[in-house]
């Protein structure tokens, strides 16, 4: 039953994302220019990192190679998440103008419908860049490969991607709770008091910070990297936490699902 | 048999923040739908009308799983539109006349093909339906045109096709004829009538063009300020609210307004005079007889008020039925 729903969701995602790709391709010149600029920016980014690789001083027990590995793991996870559901950020204009209605009258999971309908192929650039960094960093870092570490790497990437996707969804869901999207963006930037401005009891500020910054950053790469790179676990942390990323991923999905659903129930469309 | 749509005390309240002073913002409750009890049976064509802001679109959004009701219940095809949204929308068709559900940058044909995939329409069924709709709505010449290049009327035919390709048992149409010329309107109406006749499709339609209702719907539901103020056959509405009649007489010679009991002269134009009377008080025959007794006449006609006129009066009275 759940498996079937997931399969249907993936099939719909593929159908709708392909349609978006074809639509974008109608404006070939723009599509190619955008893609070229992404590739260029990515290449320059990478050049910057390559320069760093030439020097290898140490930093708090972490060599630059270790840092590059950390960066690669996080980059691939966030890049994949961005590629798959990053377009969820397009929710704000849709909710504000009421065009979101049109996503709900289709027999498709609303989140799948939104992310696939706004699918942007050029986001693949970030994944590619991070992948290169990760491959190089994995090659040059002195990792003692055990079976556990070999298995841990893909597990970390998958968990990290899921955590990042959930983070995106949680952040985007806020659009449902406010009509003036510009206003909420400012609230974030200038640190206004979210809880008093909006009925977000489920979204107290501390929880927001925990869920949108701390959990992702720590679990996506820091903790698993401690294990893979065989570094000292800081005293305050129990060492099992190094393996807790998949659990964090599950927890994040549960939270994201609840927030998204509450958001859908809260959606108010527009008067015309 | 259970109705295809059943609502009980269906209510939607919006909280709006209005500016009150320079910084202060005031919360205000807008009751868009104020307790609607409605039951629609399979195969009906229902005209859902009311003045601007009456709550028509809000009701339809609650029936299609877009908006969560504030109170009351709604069941469509036996399902709760919010908890069973995906299951429900697979079996219904929806057109919001103000929005498009087509893929803007792709040829019209591609939109249909995408819908086939999304609704999992059996390919054979799909091709048969598409061929029938292309024929009925004369879509042939525009199938390969990107949707953004279609005219409004052409696009609306595409929207209708998109909403009906998967053989829905029930369709909700929110202003499907808005902005269309007489030819396109005719095409849309004929299409809906045929779907209803040949497939028993239940149709719920909102419109500001009462000709849509007169030509399509046996049942008319009028709402105002979120409440139902009339629900019944169109004919019954005409009988109940249209008690005023007008006798138009062409006199042999011009003269002052005629003094006929139980009538009022509402207009004089040369030798022609309009005498209004209440059908429940007197009869057209009595009025004509009284006129003839007073002055020689050349011609006479009896006018019934148009439904549009009656509805306008109802709206202006604030729905106080
Ligand atoms: N998203 C919303 N937020 C706040 N108020 C709303 C919203 N949607 C509708 N309303 C209000 O609810 C009332 C009913 O609106 P609705 O759109 O249902 O009317 P309608 O009958 O469809 O009117 P029209 O004929 O103009 O389309 C109006 O007063 C409107 O301002
Ligand atoms: Mg409306």
């Amino acid at each position: 039953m759940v498996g079937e729903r997931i399969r249907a969701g993936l099939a719909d995602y593929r159908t709708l994302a392909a349609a978006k790709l074809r639509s974008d391709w109608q404006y070939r010149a723009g599509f190619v220019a955008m893609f070229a600029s992404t590739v260029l920016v990515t290449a320059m980014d990478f050049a910057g990192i390559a320069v760093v690789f030439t020097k290898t001083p140490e930093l708090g027990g972490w060599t630059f190679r270790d840092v590059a590995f950390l960066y690669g793991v996080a980059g691939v996870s966030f890049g994949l998440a961005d590629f798959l559901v990053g377009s969820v950020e397009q929710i704000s204009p849709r909710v504000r103008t009421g065009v979101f209605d049109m996503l709900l009258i289709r027999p498709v999971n609303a989140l799948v419908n939104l992310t696939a309908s706004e699918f942007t192929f050029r986001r693949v650039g970030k994944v590619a860049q991070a992948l290169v960094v990760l491959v190089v960093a994995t090659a040059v870092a002195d990792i003692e490969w055990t079976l556990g570490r070999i298995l841990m790497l893909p597990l970390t990437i998958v968990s990290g991607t899921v955590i990042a996707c959930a983070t995106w969804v949680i952040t985007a869901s806020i659009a449902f709770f406010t009509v003036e999207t510009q206003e909420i963006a400012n609230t974030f930037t200038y640190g206004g008091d979210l809880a008093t401005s909006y009925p977000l009891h489920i979204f107290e500020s501390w929880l927001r910070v925990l869920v949108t910054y701390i959990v992702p950053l720590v679990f996506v790469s820091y903790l698993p990297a401690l294990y893979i790179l065989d570094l000292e676990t800081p005293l305050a942390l129990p060492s099992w936490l190094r393996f807790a990323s998949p659990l964090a991923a599950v927890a994040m999905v549960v939270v994201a699902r609840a927030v998204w659903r509450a958001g859908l129930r809260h959606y108010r469309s527009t008067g015309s | 048999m259970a109705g295809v749509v059943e609502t009980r005390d269906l209510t939607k309240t919006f909280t709006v923040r209005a500016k009150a002073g320079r910084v202060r913002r005031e919360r205000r409750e807008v009751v868009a739908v104020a307790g609607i009890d409605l039951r629609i049976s399979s195969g009906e064509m229902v005209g859902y009308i009311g003045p601007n802001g009456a709550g028509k679109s809000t009701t339809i959004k609650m029936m299609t799983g877009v908006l969560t009701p504030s109170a009351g219940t709604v069941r469509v095809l036996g399902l709760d539109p919010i908890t069973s949204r995906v299951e429900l929308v697979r079996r219904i068709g929806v057109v919001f006349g103000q929005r498009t559900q087509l893929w803007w940058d792709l040829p019209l044909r591609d939109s249909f093909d995408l819908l086939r995939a999304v609704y999992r329409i059996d390919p054979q069924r799909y091709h048969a339906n598409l061929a029938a709709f292309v024929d009925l709505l004369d879509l042939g010449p525009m199938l390969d045109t990107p949707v953004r290049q279609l005219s409004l009327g052409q696009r609306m035919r595409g929207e209708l096709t998109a909403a009906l390709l998967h053989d829905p048992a029930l369709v909700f149409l929110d202003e499907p004829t808005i902005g269309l010329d007489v030819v396109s309107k005719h095409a849309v109406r004929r299409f809906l009538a045929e779907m209803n006749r040949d497939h028993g499709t239940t149709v719920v339609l909102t419109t500001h063009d009462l000709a849509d209702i007169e030509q399509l719907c046996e049942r008319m539901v009028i709402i105002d300020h979120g409440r139902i103020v009339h629900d019944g056959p169109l004919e019954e509405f005409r009988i109940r609210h249209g008690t005023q009649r007008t006798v138009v007489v062409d006199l042999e010679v011009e003269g002052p307004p005629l003094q006929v009991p139980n009538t009022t002269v509402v207009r004089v134009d040369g030798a022609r005079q309009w005498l209004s009377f209440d059908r429940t008080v007197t009869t057209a025959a009595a009025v004509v007889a009284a006129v003839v007794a007073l002055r020689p006449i050349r011609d006479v006609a009896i006018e019934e008020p148009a439904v549009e006129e009656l509805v306008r009066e109802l709206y202006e009275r604030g729905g106080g039925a």
Side-chain angles (χ1 to χ4, degrees):
Chain A
M1 182 58 193
V2 172
E4 200 161 300
R5 287 227 311 263
I6 291 176
R7 206 157 338 116
L10 289 177
D12 290 336
Y13 189 97
R14 214 172 323 118
T15 305
L16 297 169
K20 174 62 165 38
L21 196 56
R22 251 183 300 147
S23 295
D24 287 347
W25 187 242
Q26 302 300 308
Y27 304 94
R28 253 150 272 200
F31 185 85
V32 170
M34 281 300 240
F35 196 76
S37 80
T38 309
V39 169
L40 199 70
V41 169
T42 305
M44 274 159 57
D45 252 16
F46 184 61
I49 293 158
V51 170
V52 173
F53 269 100
T54 60
K55 316 171 179 183
T56 51
E58 237 175 63
L59 197 89
W62 289 69
T63 66
F64 262 104
R65 291 172 185 183
D66 295 339
V67 174
F69 179 79
L70 195 71
Y71 176 95
V73 169
V76 170
S77 294
F78 280 107
L80 275 175
D82 187 49
F83 181 66
L84 294 173
V85 308
S87 49
V88 74
E89 71 190 9
Q90 292 300 320
I91 194 173
S92 302
R94 290 208 178 206
V95 165
R96 201 179 54 245
T97 57
V99 181
F100 194 83
D101 291 3
M102 303 317 286
L103 296 175
L104 295 174
I105 62 165
R106 292 267 172 265
V108 177
N109 175 284
L111 184 60
V112 167
N113 203 347
L114 173 67
T115 51
S117 301
E118 294 286 354
F119 177 76
T120 319
F121 181 70
R122 90 185 111 81
R123 291 178 196 257
V124 78
K126 286 191 200 171
V127 188
Q129 178 218 10
L131 212 53
V132 171
V133 174
L134 180 64
V135 167
V136 173
T138 309
V140 302
D142 56 306
I143 299 171
E144 198 183 306
W145 289 106
T146 61
L147 182 62
R149 292 203 173 108
I150 291 173
L151 293 178
M152 191 64 179
L153 186 57
L155 190 61
T156 299
I157 302 276
V158 171
S159 309
T161 306
V162 171
I163 289 171
C165 286
T167 310
W168 262 244
V169 171
I170 290 167
T171 314
S173 300
I174 293 171
F176 288 120
F177 296 95
T178 163
V179 187
E180 310 287 337
T181 313
Q182 195 49 53
E183 226 167 300
I184 190 90
N186 292 344
T187 313
F188 270 126
T189 325
Y190 306 120
D193 191 357
L194 196 72
T196 56
S197 313
Y198 300 96
L200 300 178
H201 348 277
I202 46 164
F203 223 150
E204 301 285 356
S205 300
W206 63 268
L207 183 60
R208 197 192 78 229
V209 171
L210 183 73
V211 162
T212 55
Y213 298 105
I214 297 174
V215 171
L217 289 176
V218 171
F219 286 93
V220 166
S221 69
Y222 175 71
L223 289 170
L226 286 179
Y227 169 68
I228 294 174
L229 298 172
D230 201 15
L231 298 173
E232 199 83 7
T233 310
L235 284 179
L237 296 175
S239 64
W240 60 262
L241 263 184
R242 296 176 301 168
F243 308 103
S245 292
L247 283 180
V250 171
M252 286 292 285
V253 167
V254 170
V255 173
R257 194 177 136 95
V259 174
W260 174 260
R261 290 200 161 191
L264 278 182
R265 298 258 194 293
H266 218 273
Y267 174 59
R268 48 187 284 162
S269 186
T270 52
S272 60
Chain B
M1 204 196 94
V4 290
V5 177
E6 280 184 36
T7 76
R8 277 205 44 205
D9 200 26
L10 186 62
T11 302
K12 182 72 190 179
T13 317
F14 292 105
T15 307
V16 293
R17 282 161 214 276
K19 250 206 161 81
R22 282 194 348 155
V23 206
R24 224 162 52 82
R25 307 248 254 128
E26 214 166 56
R27 289 162 64 106
R28 203 163 46 82
E29 301 269 290
V30 174
V31 182
V33 174
I36 281 189
D37 295 302
L38 198 60
R39 188 195 152 89
I40 296 171
S41 306
S42 182
E44 273 194 290
M45 288 188 102
V46 178
Y48 193 55
I49 68 169
N52 289 132
K56 304 180 294 294
S57 300
T58 305
T59 314
I60 288 188
K61 284 174 191 167
M62 287 192 283
M63 290 172 173
T64 50
V66 172
L67 288 178
T68 310
S70 310
T73 58
V74 53
R75 295 234 137 211
V76 180
L77 301 177
L79 299 168
D80 177 330
I82 292 298
T83 55
S84 311
R85 182 185 66 81
V86 172
E87 204 185 333
L88 173 64
V89 297
R90 193 179 290 287
R91 294 163 57 191
I92 65 173
V94 185
V95 172
F96 289 120
Q98 320 263 25
R99 306 201 193 292
T100 181
Q101 56 182 322
L102 303 169
W103 279 259
W104 202 240
D105 289 318
L106 298 178
L108 185 58
R109 187 193 297 281
D110 289 27
S111 286
F112 299 151
D113 201 49
L114 286 162
L115 292 172
R116 179 189 58 73
V118 162
Y119 283 91
R120 316 277 193 275
I121 309 172
D122 170 65
Q124 236 171 334
R125 190 77 250 149
Y126 168 76
H127 288 295
N129 280 354
L130 187 58
F133 293 172
V134 165
D135 192 41
L136 257 172
L137 288 168
D138 198 19
L139 297 173
M142 54 205 212
L143 277 178
D144 296 307
T145 311
V147 171
R148 64 168 187 277
Q149 291 172 16
L150 297 178
S151 78
L152 180 63
Q154 291 173 329
R155 207 195 76 214
M156 196 52 76
R157 295 174 203 208
E159 305 278 355
L160 277 177
T161 304
L164 284 148
L165 264 179
H166 56 289
D167 292 318
L170 165 66
V171 287
F172 292 97
L173 307 160
D174 193 351
E175 303 194 36
T177 56
I178 189 167
L180 301 191
D181 69 16
V182 283
V183 178
S184 295
K185 270 188 188 174
H186 179 72
V188 167
R189 288 172 190 157
R190 200 187 51 179
F191 177 71
L192 293 174
E194 284 196 27
M195 291 307 290
N196 175 259
R197 196 190 57 215
D198 299 344
H199 302 274
T201 311
T202 311
V203 177
V204 178
L205 170 90
T206 84
T207 181
H208 288 295
D209 182 349
L210 289 166
D212 289 342
I213 309 285
E214 285 179 286
Q215 291 179 25
L216 287 174
C217 307
E218 291 112 59
R219 179 173 168 198
M220 181 163 74
V221 176
I222 305 181
I223 68 163
D224 197 6
H225 295 104
R227 283 176 210 286
I228 294 181
V229 294
H230 172 88
D231 181 358
L234 187 61
E235 210 36 55
E236 189 190 293
F237 176 79
R238 214 197 285 272
I239 292 167
R240 181 138 72 94
H241 294 274
T243 57
Q244 291 291 314
R245 293 278 186 283
T246 308
V247 170
V248 187
V249 290
D250 282 353
L251 303 171
E252 288 285 354
V253 286
E254 281 183 39
L258 295 161
Q259 301 281 333
V260 176
N262 299 321
T263 72
T264 28
V265 175
V266 288
R267 201 174 149 204
V268 178
D269 181 10
R272 181 172 291 183
Q273 296 198 8
W274 281 259
L275 288 81
S276 168
F277 67 95
D278 191 324
R279 188 167 50 74
T280 58
V281 176
T282 178
T283 65
V287 174
V288 174
V291 172
V292 172
L294 285 173
R295 308 267 286 278
I297 66 171
R298 194 180 290 161
D299 199 4
V300 63
I302 296 161
E303 285 182 352
E304 269 198 352
V307 172
E308 175 143 348
E309 193 77 0
L310 299 178
V311 169
R312 182 177 58 78
E313 282 169 16
L314 186 72
Y315 288 179
E316 282 172 359
R317 281 205 307 273

